Amino acid sequence: TTSDIDISVPYVKTMATQFRSNTNMPLAICILWLCTTICLTGVALRGEMSSFLQRQALMTKDSESSQRLLQSSLRWNPMNTDATLQLVQISTLEEGIHILKHSLSYSPQHPGLVWKLAYAYGELGKIEPYIYWLSKSILLDPYNTDKQSDSLGRLLTLSLDQLSRGDRDESDLLVQTGVSHYNNYKSKVKELADHHDQLHNDRQFLLTKEAQKWGSQLDILAQSLPDS
């Protein structure tokens, strides 16, 4: 009847819509899977190309060729921190700072990059950024004996250099920073020793003889500061 036809038309339309929807679902999933696979393959390819160029740079004796290979490696994968550190080694201090900052925009918490950046600023005698990045490096990697110890020697040397140049303010700032780092260093070593049954000293974190010598010298210099 006419009434039956009127009732069945919407029903048929609904069924057709559901059928098309169900048919499109597997297609959408396939497209999504394909796009994801392509993206992951692209990432893997970029990483492999970056590593390949880095290995080529290691085998190249010519410095300029090595630089070009490493720069190309980082264009393929800016997060290749090993390539960054390798490139910094054969670059000027100013170039190294630029390279490290660019790499840190991709890996901001990488302690090796931060440590190298602090070192570069120290070599250039830029005291405030040196102290900033040194402190951040120690914060990111507090149980690294070499860094903790070497930083004290570096702070002492820089403070004496600045004093010899007549820059008492920066010398005093370096001494104060050195004393603070030394005290924190000793505190962490003591903390591990006091809780050796609970905290595992897997990295053999200890207070070196050199650190004690440099720390003592920094303490002596601190006693001559105006505020002491």
Side-chain angles (χ1 to χ4, degrees):
T1 65
T2 305
S3 177
D4 291 336
I5 294 174
D6 291 340
I7 293 172
S8 64
V9 169
Y11 174 76
V12 171
K13 287 182 177 179
T14 301
M15 290 298 293
T17 301
Q18 290 179 349
F19 176 77
R20 285 195 300 270
S21 177
N22 292 335
T23 303
N24 289 336
M25 280 299 290
L27 179 60
I29 292 172
C30 287
I31 292 173
L32 178 61
W33 174 83
L34 182 61
C35 290
T36 303
T37 302
I38 291 172
C39 288
L40 291 175
T41 302
V43 171
L45 176 62
R46 294 180 71 85
E48 184 54 40
M49 278 298 299
S50 178
S51 297
F52 170 75
L53 290 166
Q54 182 192 350
R55 290 192 297 270
Q56 291 295 110
L58 281 170
M59 295 185 290
T60 303
K61 295 182 179 180
D62 180 65
S63 179
E64 290 185 4
S65 297
S66 183
Q67 277 187 322
R68 287 194 296 269
L69 286 166
L70 289 168
Q71 288 165 354
S72 182
S73 171
L74 289 171
R75 281 194 292 271
W76 277 99
N77 180 19
M79 296 182 70
N80 186 341
T81 53
D82 288 340
T84 296
L85 293 172
Q86 193 176 329
L87 179 57
V88 169
Q89 287 293 107
I90 56 176
S91 302
T92 66
L93 291 170
E94 291 82 358
E95 289 171 343
I97 287 173
H98 175 75
I99 294 163
L100 289 163
K101 284 188 171 181
H102 184 258
S103 188
L104 280 166
S105 67
Y106 293 93
S107 306
Q109 302 301 314
H110 192 284
L113 298 178
V114 175
W115 175 258
K116 280 291 185 181
L117 184 56
Y119 177 84
Y121 275 123
E123 286 292 292
L124 289 173
K126 297 185 177 181
I127 302 307
E128 289 190 9
Y130 167 71
I131 290 174
Y132 172 81
W133 289 105
L134 175 67
S135 299
K136 185 170 183 178
S137 175
I138 297 296
L139 187 64
L140 289 171
D141 195 12
Y143 297 102
N144 187 313
T145 299
D146 290 339
K147 287 183 181 179
Q148 288 277 16
S149 182
D150 291 350
S151 67
L152 294 175
R154 189 70 182 140
L155 285 162
L156 176 63
T157 299
L158 283 172
S159 68
L160 295 174
D161 286 346
Q162 295 303 114
L163 189 61
S164 67
R165 294 174 183 172
D167 196 333
R168 184 61 189 257
D169 289 340
E170 289 201 334
S171 176
D172 291 351
L173 179 60
L174 287 159
V175 169
Q176 291 167 345
T177 303
V179 170
S180 176
H181 276 275
Y182 184 44
N183 290 334
N184 288 334
Y185 180 13
K186 290 189 296 183
S187 177
K188 288 192 177 298
V189 172
K190 185 176 184 303
E191 180 186 8
L192 279 176
D194 292 344
H195 300 88
H196 62 88
D197 54 335
Q198 300 172 343
L199 301 174
H200 299 288
N201 191 5
D202 298 331
R203 299 179 67 182
Q204 300 299 308
F205 183 63
L206 49 82
L207 185 65
T208 66
K209 291 181 179 179
E210 292 82 6
Q212 293 178 64
K213 180 183 70 175
W214 294 324
S216 297
Q217 290 177 314
L218 285 164
D219 281 334
I220 293 171
L221 287 173
Q223 293 172 13
S224 65
L225 296 180
D227 294 335
S228 61

